Amino acid sequence: MNGLETLPAWAAIIVIGMLVLGGAIVLIGALGLMRLPTFYQRIHGPAITVTLGAGAILIASMVYFTAAQSRLVVHELLITLFIMMTAPVVSMLIMRAAVYRDLRGHKGGFVGEGDVYRQAPDTPEDAAAEK
Amino acid sequence: MKRLLPFPYLSTALLLCWLLLNQSLEAAQVLLGLLLAIAIPLLTHSLLPLPRSHVRRPWLLFRLLALSMVEIVRSCFNVSRIILFRRAEGIHSQFIRVPLDLRDPYGLALLSCLINCTPGTVWAEILPGTHDLALHIFDLQDEQWWIDTIKTQYERPLIDIFEG
């Protein structure tokens, strides 16, 4: 680890703080993925990993290499940019796949998660039957 | 100039990307970057699926992105707290319906990116045949609050930016 001994104190404090924060957030995200019961809740666990978790670790990386090499190292910004462009698309695709899976499985919509996907009964007889 | 640089923002972004990737400001790299910044938009021009849209107020866009960044950090801590301290049965995850007034496809794309980037909310779809957004909320307390927040904090600036 060249440069570690010569790292100024202020940089070391920022790097440590950011690494601890990022690590904790990634851990909590993984914990959420493990212990939340339904799919629609589990999808929210990794969201904190890719935003604040990745962000804090990338900031730590930027500060460390800038201070250790005494020049501006900011190409981590590109990683942030690409994460911000791809992660939303992935989570939307997964979400829609799950919604269509559940809509196909339960005729008339699935009702466990609010009434957005509950379809209105087609005829008055159906409505009466539902009551 | 207009023919050579039909997409000035895209070209600037590509040049910046190239310089960041190579981590240098040497003349050779700048020249190569400029070449790419001019060539790539011209070559990929025909891949654009929709007519192009104009960003009317770049400053407003910048402000919206900065506010979203704050919101992302805030929701990260909220979601972490819920995962750590709340019993799983106590979490009210639900779909809600948000009526949208935004119609511009680029605006909607940006709105979906911002909502999906924010932990605790996932965009499911725009319900077929309507302009209502199906949105999944990790921990729903007050449905009207979410609808108002989305409409004032995200949708209004986007309407001003893309349709204003």
Side-chain angles (χ1 to χ4, degrees):
Chain A
M1 289 296 273
N2 49 351
L4 194 58
E5 302 80 17
T6 55
L7 200 66
W10 61 267
I13 290 171
I14 298 178
V15 169
I16 291 167
M18 282 297 160
L19 280 182
V20 170
L21 175 70
I25 291 285
V26 170
L27 182 68
I28 294 171
L31 207 64
L33 197 60
M34 197 181 73
R35 65 176 282 259
L36 291 172
T38 71
F39 173 83
Y40 295 103
Q41 290 174 342
R42 280 197 294 273
I43 204 172
H44 295 289
I48 62 174
T49 304
V50 298
T51 52
L52 192 59
I57 291 171
L58 288 172
I59 289 175
S61 162
M62 276 191 264
V63 172
Y64 173 78
F65 285 105
T66 302
Q69 300 180 4
S70 314
R71 68 193 177 92
L72 199 59
V73 181
V74 287
H75 60 297
E76 283 89 345
L77 285 178
L78 277 180
I79 303 180
T80 317
L81 181 72
F82 291 137
I83 288 180
M84 286 299 177
M85 287 195 311
T86 51
V89 179
V90 172
S91 67
M92 191 195 299
L93 274 178
I94 296 175
M95 188 58 149
R96 296 185 58 145
V99 165
Y100 284 114
R101 176 199 65 184
D102 286 358
L103 278 179
R104 205 184 50 191
H106 305 71
K107 262 229 150 5
F110 59 104
V111 296
E113 308 252 352
D115 58 359
V116 170
Y117 282 107
R118 182 172 11 203
Q119 284 153 8
D122 290 332
T123 60
E125 288 84 53
D126 286 351
E130 209 168 81
K131 281 178 191 149
Chain B
M1 198 64 193
K2 195 82 186 162
R3 261 228 330 257
L4 205 58
L5 279 177
F7 302 93
Y9 288 124
L10 179 60
S11 296
T12 317
L14 281 170
L15 177 60
L16 278 178
C17 266
W18 181 257
L19 293 179
L20 271 176
L21 265 178
N22 288 290
Q23 300 188 63
S24 85
L25 280 172
E26 287 167 41
Q29 295 291 358
V30 174
L31 206 64
L32 198 50
L34 274 175
L35 205 67
L36 287 172
I38 292 172
I40 290 176
L42 288 179
L43 289 175
T44 56
H45 178 75
S46 49
L47 294 177
L48 205 64
L50 299 161
R52 56 186 301 192
S53 176
H54 287 277
V55 174
R56 310 211 190 262
R57 301 184 205 171
W59 170 245
L60 211 56
L61 185 64
F62 184 74
R63 191 168 151 267
L64 175 68
L65 290 180
L67 277 178
S68 313
M69 208 72 92
V70 175
E71 189 59 35
I72 285 173
V73 174
R74 227 170 49 85
S75 335
C76 266
F77 286 114
N78 282 340
V79 170
S80 313
R81 212 171 48 230
I82 293 171
I83 288 177
L84 281 181
F85 300 120
R86 196 84 70 79
R87 294 173 56 82
E89 305 86 67
I91 306 173
H92 300 287
S93 299
Q94 237 185 42
F95 284 101
I96 62 170
R97 185 188 281 262
V98 183
L100 292 180
D101 298 315
L102 184 65
R103 298 285 181 269
D104 184 88
Y106 292 96
L108 286 170
L110 186 54
L111 179 65
S112 68
C113 267
L114 290 179
I115 287 181
N116 271 351
C117 267
T118 312
T121 52
V122 175
W123 171 297
E125 62 178 334
I126 296 207
L127 294 165
T130 64
H131 291 290
D132 291 358
L133 158 68
L135 182 67
H136 190 261
I137 308 275
F138 183 46
D139 185 42
L140 184 76
Q141 303 292 349
D142 181 3
E143 186 173 342
Q144 197 54 46
W145 181 85
W146 279 104
I147 295 176
D148 291 342
T149 310
I150 300 262
K151 288 199 81 74
T152 55
Q153 202 176 333
Y154 293 103
E155 197 190 4
R156 180 93 318 258
L158 281 172
I159 289 177
D160 291 343
I161 291 166
F162 286 100
E163 299 177 353

